[in-house]
Amino acid sequence: MRTQQFVLIACLLANLNRDSNAQRGNIITNFFEFLRRGQSDLNIEHVDDGVQLINEYDFIVVGAGTAGCALAARLSENPAWKVLLIEAGGPENMGMDIPILAHFLQLTDINWNYRTQPSDKYCLAMNNRRCNWPRGKVMGGSSVLNYMMYTRGNRRDYDRWAALGNEGWSYRDVLPYFRKYEGSEIPNAEPEFVGRRGPVKIGHPDWRSHISEAFVRAAQEDGLKYRDYNGHIQTGVSYLQATIHKGMRWSSNRAYLYPIKGKRANLHVKKNALVTKVLIDPNTKTAYGVVLSTGGQSYQVRARREVILSAGAINTPQLLMLSGIGPAQHLRDVGIKPIVDLAVGYNLQDHIAPAVSFTTNVSSIRTSDYFEATNIMQYIDGKGLFGLPGAVEAIAFWDLSQPQVEDGWADLEMFQLAGSFEENPATLRAFGIQLDTYNTMYRNVNSDGFMIFPMILRPKSRGRVLLKSNNPFKYPLLHANYFAHPDDLDISVRAVLKTISLLDRPGFKAINARLLERIMPGCAKLPYKSRAYWECYVRHFTYTIYHYCGTAKMGPPTDPAAVVDARLRVYGVKRLRVVDASIMPEIIAGHPNGPVFMIAEKAADMIKQDNNYI
Ligand SMILES: Cc1cc2nc3c(=O)[nH]c(=O)nc-3n(C[C@H](O)[C@H](O)[C@H](O)COP(=O)(O)OP(=O)(O)OC[C@H]3O[C@@H](n4cnc5c(N)ncnc54)[C@H](O)[C@@H]3O)c2cc1C
Ligand SMILES: *[C@@H]1O[C@H](CO)[C@@H](O)[C@H](O)[C@H]1NC(C)=O
């Protein structure tokens, strides 16, 4: 039994003392029925662990995350192609489908558990001054660990990619791919922009607190329009659009692989197998397969047509470098013979949000709600509070550089949570917050609380992924470099101040929303709420929103930092592509799970074209 199921069952058992016998019986029957139904959906294995892989495939896709599942499903539409999808993690289970439990997943073994290198500039409130950087290690990858917040970003993000020299990536070009994967159930979505029939379900959670109503109102009073932020204008406020359906997480695995379960003899899925190297002929510089490690054994599998890396923005650059593709001097330093000298691992980008905590006189989500029979019962019908992704309810996009413009290019996003970190103890470990800081900042509040995360959308700082060694089982070194560019510190402080300023709006006054006045340990010498104090605060609460990307940058041949071209082919190596968040030349102004689906859908078409299938 996995942790999450255990948590739910523990909730259930905790309830037994409080309910009548009849209720208990009902709850347990329904709950286990629910578990069983969930489980029967799960086994999508085409190749059981232990079943023989064949020696050669047409395509090998490395990593069954957001991009990898989509890509494998699309490529195997051609029955003549044999496709192998390789995933380091194991199967999904139903506990992972429960949106409210998202925080807990990071504490389980489906998380790679990466951490940034220590810094004296950021993540100062975290243990050893290192931020946790969770990543999914499971069928579905980070789409199983994520908070399901669904955003496309701004149309100018893609026009910017095109302007950097990447043909075919303007918003006009990529819009059909967004619409292709979207199976949106958002009622007021703009018809010319939304996709309704694609595999990735998108909907509003059906549960709302009074806090979210106040947030949406306050943002409107501040000048934002209520709108579909995935339509033609991004700046505005809205209840959350999420990759959920009937209260369940809609992972890439569920969207793309469940529907073809047992129907594609030409698709093999190998789980619990780590790819340790891409095989490249050093003379012809052609990729011809991979080495994978499973059950303590190492195997070679060959690819007739292409090897495609969809291992995510940390593992893809690691794997490229392990295979001899990367900065030549760095590779030599760790004992790897360079085959192609490319800027792999540079251009690392992420979004951070220095969360701010508030108190209110209306009800927020409390730990005890997880133990409420009514909540569990409602969830068995796919409804209620358990369907709220990590307690996130509403979202707003601001362009602070031109607040008067209705159609802005957002540089700040705020998202609102219906609870506090005190009421969600998993957050202490998930973020790796120092215990004394956690206690000082979050505990013993004695009031309902909520949080707003002001997320910096267009950071200028760039980090780097480096190999620690040539051993593929060792984790790479992650240098986040947050605030390396002074503008990022500046806008982080303005973002916090902007967030607090919303308290003056009638919407928030009506729920008596107040700043939780706590002084950050480590910033106590600075005048409270001065600019210097807030700078110190954001350097302490440098919460990652987990959007690492850019480490195998897409760019034209004239760009010395480019790793792949606009058709996502690795420069200097034949038959090798990267299809995942690594290719983003610049991070998009939103959450990247949707954009990564778009990248995979577009890549699938390019690969089909280049191999004369369409
Ligand atoms: C905690 C968390 C919360 C997030 N919240 C949101 C959100 O609310 N909204 C949003 O839009 N985005 C969110 N994101 C980001 C989003 O989920 C990712 O950007 C997206 O999933 C990246 O997709 P990918 O295909 O690039 O990589 P991944 O989905 O990470 O897939 C990579 C896969 O490759 C596998 N793999 C890696 N190396 C190897 C190897 N050597 N051999 C075999 N397999 C390998 C991994 O196990 C993994 O399954 C969140 C991410 C996290 C971690
Ligand atoms: C919360 O406080 C506001 C402002 O003081 C007040 O108008 C409102 O009635 C209060 N609501 C509740 C539920 O107590």
Side-chain angles (χ1 to χ4, degrees), residues 328-341:
Q329 190 53 52
H330 171 55
L331 297 189
R332 280 189 211 101
D333 289 346
V334 293
I336 292 170
K337 194 163 178 250
I339 297 177
V340 186
D341 187 2

Side-chain angles (χ1 to χ4, degrees), residues 378-391:
Q378 279 182 8
Y379 191 61
I380 289 165
D381 296 328
K383 293 194 163 52
L385 179 146
F386 275 80
L388 199 58

Side-chain angles (χ1 to χ4, degrees), residues 65-67 87-88 112 135 141-142 146-147 149 275 315 546 581 591 593:
T66 301
E87 169 53 45
W112 285 86
R135 284 260 95 187
S142 297
N146 76 16
Y147 286 89
M149 303 177 68
V275 173
N315 295 61
Y546 329 100
H591 302 248
N593 192 46

Side-chain angles (χ1 to χ4, degrees), residues 9 81 101 119 185 313 327 341 365 374 381 429-430 435 474 517:
I9 290 166
W81 286 342
L101 297 182
S119 165
E185 297 166 345
D341 187 2
I365 296 183
T374 44
D381 296 328
R429 275 175 61 204
L435 186 60
K474 286 268 186 308
E517 304 264 353

Side-chain angles (χ1 to χ4, degrees), residues 7 29 33 46 86 96 121 153 238 275 356 361 363 429 444 465 494 604:
V7 168
T29 321
E33 171 57 16
H46 300 270
I86 307 172
M96 302 169 193
K121 304 255 172 10
S238 172
V275 173
V356 188
N361 64 359
S363 305
R429 275 175 61 204
N444 301 318
V465 177
R494 285 190 287 133

Side-chain angles (χ1 to χ4, degrees), residues 116-254:
T116 58
Q117 289 302 109
S119 165
D120 57 4
K121 304 255 172 10
Y122 52 84
C123 303
L124 302 185
M126 313 306 172
N127 293 317
N128 305 311
R129 301 181 161 199
R130 304 177 74 176
C131 274
N132 284 350
W133 271 17
R135 284 260 95 187
K137 186 182 188 180
V138 57
M139 289 300 297
S142 297
S143 75
V144 177
L145 213 55
N146 76 16
Y147 286 89
M148 296 151 272
M149 303 177 68
Y150 180 66
T151 65
R152 285 182 181 178
N154 192 285
R155 68 174 190 281
R156 298 177 188 86
D157 295 326
Y158 306 98
D159 290 342
R160 169 88 182 137
W161 291 7
L164 290 171
N166 298 300
E167 210 192 313
W169 292 89
S170 72
Y171 190 59
R172 243 183 81 146
D173 293 317
V174 301
L175 182 58
Y177 292 107
F178 279 111
R179 302 186 72 180
K180 182 173 184 180
Y181 74 74
E182 284 181 349
S184 177
E185 297 166 345
I186 300 294
N188 67 344
E190 287 178 40
E192 323 82 86
F193 287 84
V194 71
R196 295 288 188 195
R197 286 191 298 274
V200 180
K201 300 272 194 206
I202 296 148
H204 289 305
D206 80 337
W207 190 92
R208 265 170 210 175
S209 74
H210 292 306
I211 299 163
S212 63
E213 288 160 12
F215 174 78
V216 168
R217 204 181 126 194
Q220 286 174 294
E221 287 159 350
D222 199 69
L224 293 185
K225 288 227 165 70
Y226 188 90
R227 71 167 96 247
D228 167 18
Y229 53 78
N230 291 318
H232 76 293
I233 296 178
Q234 178 198 26
T235 36
V237 61
S238 172
Y239 290 103
L240 182 67
Q241 300 188 17
T243 42
I244 54 170
H245 176 64
K246 294 193 173 142
M248 268 194 296
R249 173 191 295 277
W250 219 253
S251 71
S252 64
N253 184 30
R254 180 177 288 274

Side-chain angles (χ1 to χ4, degrees), residues 26 32 211 225 237 367 490 552 596 612:
N26 270 338
F32 284 101
I211 299 163
K225 288 227 165 70
V237 61
T367 317
D490 177 63
V596 173
N612 304 315

Side-chain angles (χ1 to χ4, degrees), residues 361-362 509-512:
N361 64 359
V362 296
K509 284 203 181 312
I511 64 164
N512 199 21

